[in-house]
Amino acid sequence: MDSQEFREAAKAAIDEITDYYDTVGSQRVVSEVKPGYLRPLLPASAPLDPEPWSAIHADVQSKILPGITHWASPRFMAFFPCSGSYPAALAEMYSNAFNGAHFNWICSPAVTELETVVMDWLAQALALPECYLSGGSTHGGGVIHGSASEAILTVMCAARDKYLAAVTAHLADDDGDDGEKEDELWRRRSKLVALGSAGSHSSTKKAAQILGVRFVAIPVSEDAGFALTGPAVARAVADLRARGLEPFYLTATLGSTDVCAVDDFAGIAEALVPSAGTPQDIWVHVDAAYAGSALLLEENQALAVPFAHFHSFNFNPHKWMLTTFDCSAVWVRRRAWLIEALSIKPPYLRNQFSDNELVTDYRDWQIPLGRRFRSLKLWFVLRSYGVRGLQAHIRRGVALGESLEAKLASRPDLFSVFTAARFGLVTLRVTGADEDEINARTERVYEGINASGEFYLTSTIVNGKFAIRVCTGVERVAEEHIQRLFDVLVERANTEVGKKQ
């Protein structure tokens, strides 16, 4: 493909992409293809000779599009949003044009420096404590990762090394002697425990599995709104230490995946005060993958005050902040914790700017070496919408969730609100005589709605209770879609409740 062919194909693609977004609401939300549908439609091996763009384009329409689930649809209310916008799409085009691995400053100075600036902008917009700013008092700062799962693995790695360094600091470094310090490091490693709540995202358990440390989930209760509390953390830590184990890391959650619960940040900070500043200091990471965008609203920013006592914070602009995947924003209170755990300096990465510590090299803040120019899309989105425009988008999603909750509450004969609307997520159950009947009816209503293809919802089971999750954060969701979903829920619940058991 030469430059003229590219110009013509790209212009046509832009028109088709725009048409796709304009008409996505008319598409069935979930693909109807069966597993393995694509292989019989494609050749058994790659072509030996070039194929014309017209043939490739035709296959996108006839073979790929039928296998797409439409996350941008206003009837997609499953999981959490994976949002995008035209400014973000334009940024992706420029990012692809400025293609490179960008692992250190000299690779493309603008890539590094824009990320530092934009992450400070975003931290200020979220009202994060000043310790997370690049020029803050604790030498912290932000970095963009691919996902919250990657962020949790990265900060857990830093937490492990920080903890082990602190508890073995009294031992001299081994220099050919009996290896006392190394032996002690490995002995301590076998006792390390990462903590989360029963509502923490599975990425915490997965990170612990990758790092070879134990994971313990602290129970949460319906009475506490499924939030992790300070006393529960204190009890879990005391119990583990009494058993000779060493808790070193905790994931606290702002907006849990199941029900958008918010953990007791002030209580957790208070519970861990006795260890703060000691070798037993427990790293606290706040996972706000979806709901972190809600900190853009002034009414939620008090939630961030206790974060000054914690070690790291993460949220995904690619969920609710109109920024295309992948873009996961991570901040640490001290950048040295990441650098000490992750820095490598082979000869081929050395240069005068890095060697003299005149610049930030984000390769030392992440697991991969190479990195994309992700900050460009954050820059485009923040400038195109402004903070006020993004606030309006978030408030709209919140209001739509509250609208659905009010509708459900108007039919107590059919529904109970399992967890009230929070950050654009509401969970519900169908009424019944006992828990078994409620679970069975709710599951049948859920499966029936998804099978019809008009809406796509997801479910959860919390402490043995089956509930339907409805997330209203997709940009194109409007009140008319909430009303239609409620009508469908009523229709199907009426059928279930009216059945003879």
Side-chain angles (χ1 to χ4, degrees):
M1 179 180 284
D2 61 25
S3 61
Q4 183 57 35
E5 290 172 324
F6 171 73
R7 193 185 304 275
E8 293 171 359
K11 287 179 178 178
I14 290 295
D15 287 339
E16 286 189 2
I17 291 168
T18 305
D19 290 342
Y20 168 77
Y21 279 114
D22 286 345
T23 61
V24 69
S26 64
Q27 304 282 339
R28 178 187 167 94
V29 184
V30 180
S31 169
E32 290 187 278
V33 302
K34 304 300 181 185
Y37 90 98
L38 190 56
R39 182 170 291 277
L41 301 179
L42 297 179
S45 59
L48 293 177
D49 297 312
E51 294 187 15
W53 168 248
S54 58
I56 301 170
H57 174 262
D59 280 353
V60 171
Q61 300 299 314
S62 64
K63 298 179 175 61
I64 302 303
L65 194 57
I68 296 296
T69 292
H70 302 290
W71 287 65
S73 170
R75 293 175 287 110
F76 182 101
M77 301 182 189
F79 306 111
F80 290 122
C82 191
S83 62
S85 63
Y86 292 128
L90 290 170
E92 291 283 14
M93 294 173 65
Y94 280 107
S95 178
N96 288 337
F98 305 146
N99 187 44
H102 308 308
F103 41 78
N104 58 16
W105 181 87
I106 197 64
C107 289
S108 280
V111 175
T112 293
E113 295 194 13
L114 183 64
E115 187 157 336
T116 303
V117 170
V118 168
M119 290 297 283
D120 279 348
W121 281 10
L122 193 51
Q124 291 165 345
L126 300 175
L128 296 185
E130 64 84 29
C131 59
Y132 292 102
L133 298 175
S134 64
S137 58
T138 57
H139 304 288
V143 60
I144 303 175
H145 288 176
S147 68
S149 298
E150 180 186 335
I152 287 174
L153 175 59
T154 303
V155 298
M156 191 184 292
C157 180
R160 178 198 62 190
D161 285 15
K162 172 181 175 294
Y163 181 88
L164 290 173
V167 296
T168 61
H170 63 288
L171 298 174
D173 291 332
D174 297 329
D175 54 359
D177 56 13
D178 59 2
E180 179 185 7
K181 185 165 187 174
E182 184 174 355
D183 288 346
E184 179 65 5
L185 281 170
W186 283 104
R187 187 185 74 80
R188 295 273 191 166
R189 275 176 178 258
S190 69
K191 297 177 177 295
L192 294 180
V193 181
L195 296 168
S197 81
S200 295
H201 190 268
S202 58
S203 53
T204 296
K205 183 176 182 179
K206 185 173 185 177
Q209 180 177 323
I210 292 169
L211 293 179
V213 300
R214 306 183 202 204
F215 171 73
V216 170
I218 303 172
V220 293
S221 69
E222 190 169 352
D223 291 342
F226 302 108
L228 180 62
T229 66
V233 170
R235 287 192 298 271
V237 169
D239 175 67
L240 290 166
R241 287 177 175 162
R243 292 162 50 195
L245 299 174
E246 302 189 33
F248 74 103
Y249 170 93
L250 169 70
T251 291
T253 305
L254 172 60
S256 65
T257 303
D258 290 320
V259 297
C260 248
V262 176
D263 288 346
D264 172 22
F265 300 126
I268 292 169
E270 183 179 355
L272 297 180
V273 162
S275 297
T278 73
Q280 285 74 37
D281 182 32
I282 293 176
W283 182 299
V284 180
H285 173 72
V286 179
D287 174 20
Y290 165 67
S293 296
L295 292 178
L296 289 169
L297 307 184
E298 294 91 340
E299 56 266 36
N300 296 325
Q301 290 181 347
L303 291 170
V305 173
F307 298 173
H309 301 288
F310 300 153
H311 301 72
S312 54
F313 171 83
N314 163 248
F315 90 107
N316 292 345
H318 66 236
K319 281 191 166 67
W320 202 8
M321 216 187 84
L322 303 175
T323 307
T324 47
F325 189 88
D326 55 358
C327 184
S328 188
V330 191
W331 288 268
V332 289
R333 203 172 77 220
R334 284 191 66 192
R335 67 188 71 176
W337 293 329
L338 289 179
I339 295 169
E340 289 165 3
L342 301 169
S343 178
I344 54 168
K345 294 183 179 179
Y348 56 82
L349 293 180
R350 298 189 64 180
N351 62 81
Q352 59 177 321
F353 306 105
S354 299
D355 289 351
N356 293 316
E357 298 182 351
L358 300 174
V359 297
T360 296
D361 282 338
Y362 280 121
R363 73 167 192 267
D364 295 331
W365 297 43
Q366 62 180 32
I367 292 171
L369 175 62
R371 55 202 330 274
R372 301 178 63 235
F373 194 179
R374 297 186 182 105
S375 61
L376 198 63
K377 53 191 172 188
L378 267 181
W379 193 46
F380 278 29
V381 167
L382 285 166
R383 295 183 65 187
S384 297
Y385 288 91
V387 173
R388 288 195 180 98
L390 294 171
Q391 288 172 332
H393 164 64
I394 300 299
R395 282 201 175 95
R396 192 163 157 275
V398 170
L400 290 171
E402 292 170 348
S403 174
L404 178 59
E405 180 189 352
K407 290 175 172 59
L408 295 167
S410 73
R411 293 300 306 268
D413 56 319
L414 295 177
F415 306 109
S416 63
V417 174
F418 183 51
T419 55
R422 189 165 200 179
F423 306 132
L425 179 75
V426 59
T427 64
L428 64 120
R429 307 179 79 204
V430 179
T431 57
D434 55 34
E435 284 298 325
D436 287 343
E437 185 173 75
I438 292 170
N439 280 347
R441 285 177 171 178
T442 305
E443 187 168 5
R444 287 194 292 269
V445 167
Y446 161 74
E447 290 178 345
I449 289 174
N450 279 350
S452 74
E454 183 177 359
F455 290 92
Y456 184 32
L457 310 177
T458 44
S459 64
T460 188
I461 300 175
V462 183
N463 293 355
K465 296 182 177 182
F466 187 98
I468 298 171
R469 301 170 71 261
V470 181
C471 187
T472 57
V474 170
E475 182 188 20
R476 289 168 178 76
V477 177
E479 178 60 34
E480 65 188 86
H481 304 108
I482 299 299
Q483 182 62 53
R484 175 56 186 162
L485 174 62
F486 176 67
D487 292 342
V488 171
L489 284 164
V490 168
E491 178 185 348
R492 291 193 173 272
N494 262 324
T495 301
E496 284 299 327
V497 172
K499 286 180 180 177
K500 291 183 179 180
Q501 301 298 324

